[in-house]
Amino acid sequence: MTGATQTTMDTTALKRDIYGLFINGESILSESGRTMNTYNPATGEKLAEVAKASSVDADQAVAAARHAFENGKWKKYPIGKRAKVLHKIADIMRERFNEIVELEILDTGKSLAAAQGQVTQAIENFEFYAGAIVGHRGTVNPMPGQFHNYTEKEPVGVCAQIIPWNYPIMMASWKIAPAIAVGCSIVVKPASLTPLTAIVLGEICSKAGVPAGVINIVPGSGSEVGNYLVEHLDVDKVAFTGSTPIGKDIMASASETLKRVTLELGGKSPNLVFEDADIDAAIAGSLFGIFYNTGQSCEARSRLYVHENVYEEFLHKFVEKTKQLKLGNPFDEGTHIGAIIDENQLKVIDGYVKSAKEDGAEILAGGKPAMIEGFENGYWYEPTVISGVTHEMTVVKEEIFGPVVIIMPFKEEKEAIKLANDTEYGLGSAIWSTNDARIKRVGGAIRAGIVMVNCPFSAFPGTPFGGYKQSGFGRELCIETLDLYTETKSILSYYGQRPINPFGI
Ligand code: NAD
């Protein structure tokens, strides 16, 4: 498998100066000899060098995955044996929890609390799928007379899994766990900005007993390696999480070979606060809803609509609390808000805020890059609250992917629903109310895959996660994800005494 320029790498420590590709059970350098750097967004300093996959490496990874799928033992293991390996992966991750958390913080600049929560969820996701596959099975179907029909769930084959930079280990686990649980082989392409924890997760899976070739990790450029995987004839399915424009390109490319596709894309999620809400709970939940993960979340509740009768009270308290949020050393327990992923994203966020100002909106908190003592070369943005907006403004329409929220009053429930649905996206949404009938009505009317009711959280292992409209399709993190990594085979048999001869000849 390894070429002349490839060197097998030491994978003992999770924190290293150089990280390899993970192909066919080995950590190796790219055949091209190319590497790329990752940076700590909190400090701007170089963190590590990472082998940068070429299309030749990606081809090797697909070949390894295909070989493992066709000839290997993984998909033939009894379910209980695969489940045991998934539990072992979770066990190793737990043993190395602090190291994984540290690596994730260094690579992303996110806060300690956020990283701890996300690594925990990644671990629990492996445990969830270890249990879920036990109940994932075909059906026996009603048939007339001497016929019998049952179905089997077969792994879809080789899957390319392309993930974004905002939740690296969590997204890797959302992809890897269900796919290997059902017996698929995979090639994961992490985001170039944050490849480290996906690489070490691949290695951990191998140490836990996943056979060589079943999991391959190829960090590299989206346009080169990502696109190559999407077009590859030996890839059966593409599972993509990322931006809506790239998702559209992937769907178009995958249509050439009719690959199975699931797309988890962008969002511009509404957050509705009704006059009968517990206002303090709504404020706390809305702060978390937008500023968690520095606003770099697909389901960030970035459009806040508040009933006019409680608008002034809510606004005043919400702005005050926004100003109290602590930015700073991501490793400090008291830090609420971590860094922005890179300079480019910082400029994008600032551009949106400037466009809001030019459009006549009012900045009530934040509104500019932040200077953090001791982290002057990192990328930081002040948590920002914008009012005085209309629904035509760019800042209301487009996904910003940063700590920026717009806030608007509404008069009545119908108007709130209309505003919530006035978007091309349909991923998350939140309702704050103590009126059960209203919660049911509004929750039913919102066109989004997730409705959070008096709750700041959007997902736990077991809860379906995915979008309506241009937020994509397919559901991850849940039992039905297993269906998206399997084909249903129908077996129809005849048990009659007399041969069937429909043509009568
Ligand atoms: P992105 O679309 O730029 O990149 C995502 C991944 O796709 C990366 O690995 C990238 O290298 C790869 N890629 C880029 N071009 C490609 C191409 N032509 N072919 C194949 N792969 C390609 O997104 P990002 O900036 O990394 O992440 C932010 C986006 O992800 C936001 O829009 C966010 O809403 C979305 N997201 C969605 C979810 C969800 O579950 N719905 C979760 C997290 C993030």
Side-chain angles (χ1 to χ4, degrees):
M1 178 104 263
T2 50
T5 55
Q6 295 170 324
T7 316
T8 302
M9 309 187 62
D10 182 10
T11 59
T12 325
L14 298 196
K15 203 167 150 221
R16 309 167 201 153
D17 293 332
I18 178 153
Y19 291 78
L21 315 172
F22 189 70
I23 298 180
N24 208 26
E26 279 185 71
S27 181
I28 55 173
L29 292 174
S30 166
E31 59 76 37
S32 68
R34 288 186 304 179
T35 59
M36 56 191 181
N37 294 332
T38 61
Y39 295 87
N40 178 344
T43 61
E45 285 162 11
K46 180 182 160 185
L47 181 59
E49 208 173 329
V50 181
K52 185 175 183 189
S54 66
S55 52
V56 174
D57 298 312
D59 198 44
Q60 282 194 347
V62 173
R66 176 55 62 190
H67 182 79
F69 186 73
E70 301 297 345
N71 309 308
K73 53 194 175 183
W74 180 248
K75 73 173 179 196
K76 296 181 193 145
Y77 276 2
I79 281 178
K81 194 166 172 185
R82 278 207 302 272
K84 206 168 165 189
V85 176
L86 266 74
H87 276 298
K88 179 80 182 158
I89 295 168
D91 291 346
I92 299 178
M93 289 175 80
R94 262 209 187 88
E95 280 161 24
R96 309 200 71 168
F97 182 82
N98 290 337
E99 291 169 89
I100 301 173
V101 166
E102 182 189 4
L103 199 58
E104 191 76 327
I105 293 173
L106 292 171
D107 209 14
T108 62
K110 66 179 68 202
S111 70
L112 178 67
Q116 285 175 333
Q118 290 160 28
V119 175
T120 301
Q121 198 202 83
I123 294 169
E124 290 174 353
N125 205 31
F126 281 96
E127 292 167 334
F128 170 74
Y129 281 110
I133 41 166
V134 175
H136 187 247
R137 55 185 73 148
T139 52
V140 178
N141 302 309
M143 290 295 299
Q146 303 299 315
F147 295 95
H148 179 68
N149 177 240
Y150 68 97
T151 62
E152 282 185 345
K153 299 280 185 186
E154 294 186 348
V156 75
V158 173
C159 307
Q161 302 183 312
I162 301 172
I163 56 177
W165 48 259
N166 58 337
Y167 295 122
I169 185 98
M170 225 170 71
M171 289 295 111
S173 87
W174 285 26
K175 296 281 183 276
I176 295 173
I180 64 167
V182 297
C184 290
S185 294
I186 58 178
V187 180
V188 180
K189 199 209 79 65
S192 306
L193 292 172
T194 58
L196 304 190
T197 49
I199 295 170
V200 302
L201 181 56
E203 297 164 2
I204 286 172
C205 291
S206 172
K207 286 182 181 127
V210 178
V214 172
I215 297 178
N216 305 275
I217 317 278
V218 286
S221 118
S223 53
E224 184 184 351
V225 173
N227 193 43
Y228 184 78
L229 292 172
V230 173
E231 291 180 352
H232 203 295
L233 290 176
D234 250 343
V235 169
D236 301 294
K237 175 189 165 99
V238 179
F240 172 77
T241 298
S243 60
T244 295
I246 303 285
K248 289 179 184 176
D249 288 348
I250 285 179
M251 193 167 166
S253 305
S255 73
E256 286 297 315
T257 45
L258 282 182
K259 288 181 175 57
R260 280 77 185 118
V261 177
T262 44
L263 300 174
E264 299 281 4
L265 307 177
K268 189 77 182 175
S269 300
N271 190 358
L272 309 180
V273 181
F274 289 92
E275 60 182 322
D276 51 36
D278 173 336
I279 295 298
D280 289 334
I283 289 168
S286 303
L287 278 173
F288 186 86
I290 178 61
F291 297 125
Y292 173 67
N293 214 47
T294 322
Q296 300 170 127
S297 295
C298 48
E299 83 293 4
R301 274 73 81 202
S302 51
R303 295 183 293 135
L304 186 42
Y305 304 102
V306 183
H307 191 273
E308 59 179 7
N309 289 353
V310 290
Y311 183 75
E312 288 307 326
E313 179 195 352
F314 184 99
L315 186 67
H316 176 72
K317 290 184 180 170
F318 185 81
V319 168
E320 281 313 302
K321 287 198 184 281
T322 299
K323 290 178 180 166
Q324 289 167 24
L325 290 169
K326 191 168 170 295
L327 283 71
N329 187 346
F331 285 96
D332 280 352
E333 281 187 6
T335 295
H336 301 117
I337 310 274
I340 303 296
I341 195 68
D342 69 355
E343 189 177 4
N344 184 44
Q345 185 63 14
L346 189 70
K347 283 184 183 155
V348 168
I349 295 166
D350 201 38
Y352 276 113
V353 174
K354 283 183 175 140
S355 87
K357 284 185 206 163
E358 282 159 18
D359 288 343
E362 198 182 342
I363 312 296
L364 301 179
K368 58 181 191 311
M371 260 298 163
I372 308 294
E373 208 185 320
F375 294 86
E376 288 80 3
N377 294 324
Y379 314 111
W380 301 87
Y381 206 84
E382 295 176 350
T384 298
V385 182
I386 304 179
S387 71
V389 295
T390 67
H391 254 227
E392 286 64 51
M393 290 184 188
T394 310
V395 76
V396 178
K397 283 187 179 313
E398 295 186 9
E399 182 180 47
I400 297 174
F401 229 57
V404 179
V405 66
I406 64 100
I407 181 163
M408 271 179 90
F410 65 85
K411 282 185 196 311
E412 55 181 33
E413 189 181 298
K414 266 191 187 156
E415 184 194 0
I417 294 168
K418 194 162 174 258
L419 290 168
N421 285 337
D422 183 21
T423 170
E424 65 191 26
Y425 295 111
L427 188 57
S429 64
I431 302 170
W432 299 91
S433 168
T434 51
N435 178 333
D436 288 344
R438 163 170 285 148
I439 289 168
K440 186 98 175 56
R441 263 193 320 269
V442 176
I446 289 179
R447 301 261 302 138
I450 302 152
V451 181
M452 291 159 259
V453 178
N454 297 324
C455 172
F457 304 126
S458 60
F460 293 96
T463 57
F465 194 98
Y468 283 27
K469 304 198 281 187
Q470 295 196 36
S471 290
F473 48 82
R475 293 293 178 271
E476 292 193 302
L477 202 64
C478 62
I479 299 233
E480 68 186 87
T481 313
L482 296 175
D483 282 335
L484 302 176
Y485 283 104
T486 46
E487 299 278 13
T488 299
K489 180 174 279 177
S490 168
I491 295 108
L492 178 58
S493 313
Y494 172 67
Y495 292 101
Q497 296 292 324
R498 279 179 292 158
I500 306 177
N501 184 1
F503 285 135
I505 55 171

